[in-house]
Amino acid sequence: MRSAVRLAAGDGFRLDAVTCVDDHRGWSAPEVGSRHGLVLVRRGIFRRMADGRAAVIDPTMAYLSVPGEEERFAHPAGGDVCTSVSLSPRLWHTLAGDGPPPLRPTLYVDARLDLAHRRFLAAARGGDTAFELAESLLSLIGAALAQLTPARSGGGAASAGTAAVPAPAAEARVTGTEGRAAEGRVTGTEARATRTEDRVAVAGAVEASPRTGGSAQDKPSGAIRVPASGRSGRERRSSPGAVVRTSAAIADAAREAIAADHPAAGGLLSLADLLAVSPYQLSRAFTRELGVSLTHYRNRVRVGRALDRLEEGEPSLAGLAADLGFADQAHLTRTIRRHVGHTPTAVRRLLASRAP
C-alpha cells in the first residue's frame, strides 16, 4: 500500500513524501508517469523496472521519471519512504534544457546531493515556497542533473566522488580480463558455496527457486537475497552452459549487502566471498557501474547514517564515530568533510537552522 503526503507546492513544482508499506517480491502492475520528476529515498530499499531495465533504489540511488514511461516496482525488503519532486513541463525544460532525456535515468546520490535533498526538505518545513524552497529546488535539481551530465553529453569521466554514468550497453557487457575471470570462476568459493543448503540473507527477502515454485516472470530480476551460488537474475550466457553475471548485478548485490549491514560487508574479500566473485571482479564492477570505488561507496553509506544522526541533533561526535565504525572523531570529521564539503558541526547547523 502506498500513500503520499503533500509537503509543499510552488510555481511549477510540487513536493510529496511517499510512503510504501508493501512487502512483496513480485513486480507491481505497470504504472505510467505523467510528469517529469525526481525521486530520492529517505529510508528503505526497493526495485524499479523501467523500459525493461531493473535497478535497485535506496538512499544512494535516485531516479528520474518522465511522462509516458512505464514503471513497475517490487519491495522484497519491506517498505520505504521517498521524496517525490514533480515538475511541470515548462519548469523541467527551463532547468534541464530541450535535449533528450538521459539514456539512463538512475543516478548515484553522493553525499553532497544527499545534503541538498535534506536541505530541500528543511526549506519545505520553513514555509517560504516562493523563495527559500524554490532556491533549494534549483540546488537539488541542478546537483541531480550534474550527476547525469556524462550520460546526457557523452562526456568523459566525472570528478572524484561524482558518479560517471556509463552507457546502457555497459549493463550487458563483461569484457577483457573481467569477463575471462568471471567465465573461469568454477571452484573454490563458488564450489564451497554451492555445497551449503542455506541461502544468504542480504536484505530480508527470499529468492524463489524451482523447488519453492512461483513463476519467473513474477519475480523481480536480481532478487535482493543472494543465493548460495552467488548468481542473481541479471546475468547473461556467453556460451552454452556458461553463465556470466553482469557488472550491474554484482554492484546491486554488493549495495544490498552493505545497506543490510551483512557481516560479510565489512571487508572487500569477505564481501566478494559472499557474492561468489573474485575481489578484482567486484571492485571493477562497482567502479564501472557507479563511477566510485567500493571503499568510497562504503564511506558514503556511513556518511549518510551520520547525516541522519546529525539531523536529529546528535550531541556527541565521538559517540557517533564509535557507533559508525570510524577510528575516532577526527576520522569521522575528515570523512564527512571529504564527502559533503562541511565539518559535522557545520552540517548539524545547516540541517537544524530551518527545522520547525
Side-chain angles (χ1 to χ4, degrees):
M1 183 176 67
R2 183 169 56 196
S3 60
V5 176
R6 182 65 46 80
L7 300 180
D11 185 11
F13 70 91
R14 69 171 185 253
L15 170 63
D16 296 292
V18 180
T19 301
C20 183
V21 295
D22 291 341
D23 188 6
H24 60 86
R25 297 186 63 252
W27 293 108
S28 65
E31 306 173 23
V32 179
S34 60
R35 291 168 66 101
H36 291 280
L38 173 66
V39 177
L40 303 107
V41 181
R42 287 302 309 268
R43 294 190 302 275
I45 183 171
F46 60 94
R47 287 184 174 272
R48 175 181 182 255
M49 174 79 76
D51 294 332
R53 188 177 302 143
V56 174
I57 308 298
D58 65 6
T60 67
M61 191 68 67
Y63 66 88
L64 294 176
S65 57
V66 298
E69 182 179 50
E70 185 177 281
E71 303 172 295
R72 302 177 74 188
F73 300 91
H75 298 82
D80 52 80
V81 179
C82 297
T83 298
S84 175
V85 184
S86 298
L87 306 175
S88 68
R90 178 175 175 273
L91 182 55
W92 169 258
H93 290 300
T94 297
L95 299 179
D98 296 325
L103 295 176
R104 185 172 178 176
T106 55
L107 61 145
Y108 171 56
V109 179
D110 65 13
R112 293 173 188 259
L113 180 54
D114 186 8
L115 181 60
H117 175 204
R118 294 168 189 267
R119 298 191 71 185
F120 180 59
L121 293 175
R125 293 193 295 268
D128 184 357
T129 303
F131 285 94
E132 185 178 24
L133 184 59
E135 189 173 32
S136 295
L137 172 69
L138 295 179
S139 296
L140 178 65
I141 299 299
L145 292 176
Q147 294 284 46
L148 291 169
T149 297
R152 294 170 63 85
S153 64
S159 59
T162 301
V165 182
E171 292 189 4
R173 185 177 68 243
V174 180
T175 59
T177 304
E178 182 179 4
R180 293 193 296 274
E183 292 173 352
R185 189 191 75 247
V186 290
T187 57
T189 299
E190 185 171 5
R192 291 195 302 272
T194 304
R195 288 196 293 269
T196 185
E197 296 180 356
D198 296 332
R199 290 177 180 269
V200 182
V202 171
V206 178
E207 182 179 27
S209 69
R211 293 190 299 275
T212 60
S215 168
Q217 69 184 39
D218 293 333
K219 312 296 187 296
S221 174
I224 288 181
R225 186 178 278 247
V226 177
S229 65
R231 291 176 180 170
S232 73
R234 299 175 71 179
E235 54 189 20
R236 66 175 176 86
R237 294 186 179 274
S238 58
S239 61
V243 177
V244 180
R245 296 175 63 196
T246 66
S247 54
I250 295 170
D252 281 353
R255 287 175 47 222
E256 290 164 347
I258 293 171
D261 279 332
H262 192 285
L268 171 62
L269 301 183
S270 58
L271 181 56
D273 191 62
L274 171 72
L275 303 181
V277 298
S278 73
Y280 172 80
Q281 186 182 3
L282 172 59
S283 181
R284 280 286 303 274
F286 212 90
T287 303
R288 168 181 287 178
E289 290 302 311
L290 274 76
V292 296
S293 69
L294 186 56
T295 298
H296 185 96
Y297 180 82
R298 174 176 175 266
N299 282 331
R300 157 68 186 97
V301 172
R302 291 200 292 175
V303 167
R305 292 169 181 168
L307 294 182
D308 287 339
R309 297 270 293 271
L310 292 170
E311 194 170 18
E312 294 166 359
E314 171 63 51
S316 172
L317 295 183
L320 180 59
D323 290 347
L324 296 180
F326 290 96
D328 50 32
Q329 181 176 331
H331 184 203
L332 168 73
T333 298
R334 288 195 305 272
T335 303
I336 290 180
R337 183 162 48 197
R338 184 180 306 119
H339 280 254
V340 182
H342 301 282
T343 65
T345 301
V347 168
R348 184 164 50 197
R349 185 168 57 249
L350 286 170
L351 295 176
S353 62
R354 299 169 184 162

